[in-house]
Amino acid sequence: MWTTPARLRAKGIVGMNRRNIRYIGRYNKRRLYPLVDDKLKTKLLAQEHGITTPALIGTVTTQFGIKQLRAMLTGQSGFVIKPAKGSGGKGILVIERIEGGLYIKPSGTQLTLADVERHVSNILSGLYSLGGSPDVALIEALINFDESFSEYTYEGVPDIRVIIFQGYPVMAMMRLSTAASDGKANLHQGAVGMGIDIASGTAVRGVQFDRTRHDHPDTGHELASLRISDWGTLLRLAAGCFEMTGLGYLGTDMVLDRDHGPMLLELNARPGLAIQMANGEGLRSRLDLIERQPEGVAVEDRVAFSQHHFARSSELSETA
């Protein structure tokens, strides 16, 4: 169904132009972008500020360094290789386990060491980086995602995007991988976007390909019962990224590890707007309210403010 710009404005939907000019251009200083555009810099900065991230196994910075991959990966039960300057999930290789000298992806696809080396070589050459510039390959420990989400996702680790504005959590969604998205949490490729209630960490709405969903397309499991544990801790970690980066408008991508709890995966200084579709609600009114708040409010108080003012009920039904 089609709508009009006037109706979208009336619903408080923030468009790309307003996002770029009013929020990103106004609150994000360009000199700070490298802190989030480079995943290695983000990880090191997070460690300095006590924000948990997946363990760093190592980095590969030169083509010659690829020869050290075998030794670097020996003894690892699973790992993730990603480009430091990649975007949109491009270039991320997830290896679930190593058996008989083969590297097994979550889908069951088997790769040889030569395949993995070739992938790293492509990363270094800038195949997946912003602007095609030479890049660095990060190798991280595999996330042991919370098994309570196993029926809500397909072959991939679900992540949680939280929009942070002036240090306040504004809106959140969980991205659930599907067969259509090839096990990746990418909405444009067919992942399910789950709107999440800021107050409770529970599911409020589900969408796939811009259409509402009440169940997962592959597992068939209903979505209404989804609840994110340790939600308060996750929001405090996400809100703390404001002080960590100095960026006033950013997207924080979080994940729940079975052993270590909430972790920061990466940050985005230009977060997309699909989170509004997942929540069935516009960002405008929430952003306007936060702009009227005083500066210098502590993280805990900012989170409590958001949980109080942005609470909402679910559109889902467990019997749907």
Side-chain angles (χ1 to χ4, degrees), residues 15 17 25 52 79-80 94 114 151 177 193 259 261 285 295 301 318:
N17 288 340
T52 309
F79 58 88
V80 178
V94 179
E151 292 183 296
S177 57
D259 303 314
S285 63
E295 297 181 359
D301 295 331
E318 293 190 32

Side-chain angles (χ1 to χ4, degrees), residues 37 39 83-92 128-130 186 266 268:
D37 286 345
K39 295 179 180 62
K85 300 176 184 176
S87 64
K90 296 176 182 177
I92 296 177
Y128 310 107
S129 67
L130 294 167
N186 188 311
E266 59 184 77
N268 193 320

Side-chain angles (χ1 to χ4, degrees), residues 102-114:
L102 294 174
Y103 300 83
I104 317 298
K105 296 171 63 175
S107 63
T109 301
Q110 299 179 345
L111 303 180
T112 65
L113 177 62

